[in-house]
Amino acid sequence: FDSTSDRIAYVGRSFYSDYIKKISVRTGTVTTGDTINIQVETVTNGKPSGTLWSANGTGAAPSGTVAIADSDDNVWKTVTLTNVAVLLPEDEFAIVITHSSGATPALNFTAAPIGSIGFTGQYPMLWQDAGAGTWAALNGPANNIGALEWIVEMSTAGIVPMPGMLPSDGLF
């Protein structure tokens, strides 16, 4: 993240009938902190749609913010969603990180080895938008750069492994 218009997104399919209530992401080096917004969005043509997810078309959209300080190098940052995101098996959903407030950020997120990401069909995918309004693939088998470290906490199932979300420091 080096611009207030940068966005990063995870797009996948749900394996659970449950509610997303918390989302965590691991930072890398942070030069200039930021307050980021993490939200759950619907998916159009395999990419985040810009439309916040709502439970079966009703209810408030799930999102939340978290501050990342200059000193928050290599730590987990967790957002408790303002409203849960109700998912059913096979629902396509996107988790999107955007700038919320603060100075122009200069922060990185960590990546884990690629493992099997990208080899399970279309999903999961990681996308980035460097402010031009166009999503571009961030990783997959073609460029083999790894997967951001994300964690999703569900209301019933708790912390669950999802393809492409690779917590690697013992949070399970």
Side-chain angles (χ1 to χ4, degrees):
F1 258 42
D2 61 5
S3 167
T4 58
S5 58
D6 285 349
R7 299 182 293 170
I8 297 174
Y10 165 92
V11 176
R13 288 193 187 273
S14 175
F15 294 102
Y16 305 96
S17 179
D18 207 342
Y19 308 85
I20 297 176
K21 65 179 187 176
K22 291 182 183 179
I23 299 169
S24 300
V25 63
R26 187 178 168 114
T27 64
T29 302
V30 179
T31 304
T32 304
D34 190 19
T35 296
I36 60 169
N37 182 66
I38 299 180
Q39 59 196 34
V40 181
E41 294 184 10
T42 60
V43 174
T44 302
N45 297 323
K47 297 178 182 175
S49 67
T51 301
L52 294 176
W53 190 274
S54 61
N56 303 317
T58 62
S63 66
T65 61
V66 65
I68 299 176
D70 297 354
S71 59
D72 282 338
D73 293 349
N74 302 306
V75 298
W76 286 97
K77 299 304 279 191
T78 299
V79 168
T80 300
L81 299 177
T82 53
N83 293 285
V84 296
V86 179
L87 297 176
L88 299 173
E90 298 301 313
D91 278 349
E92 294 178 293
F93 68 99
I95 297 172
V96 181
I97 299 175
T98 61
H99 166 81
S100 179
S101 65
T104 299
L107 61 97
N108 296 293
F109 298 100
T110 60
I114 197 164
S116 62
I117 187 166
F119 296 101
T120 56
Q122 179 182 0
Y123 295 118
M125 286 293 296
L126 289 176
W127 298 95
Q128 69 178 5
D129 177 359
T134 304
W135 290 104
L138 182 61
N139 78 331
N143 49 17
N144 199 33
I145 66 167
L148 291 181
E149 292 184 273
W150 305 68
I151 295 174
V152 169
E153 185 176 340
M154 307 294 265
S155 292
T156 302
I159 296 172
V160 295
M162 298 180 86
M165 294 188 177
L166 302 170
S168 63
D169 76 345
L171 280 179
F172 274 108

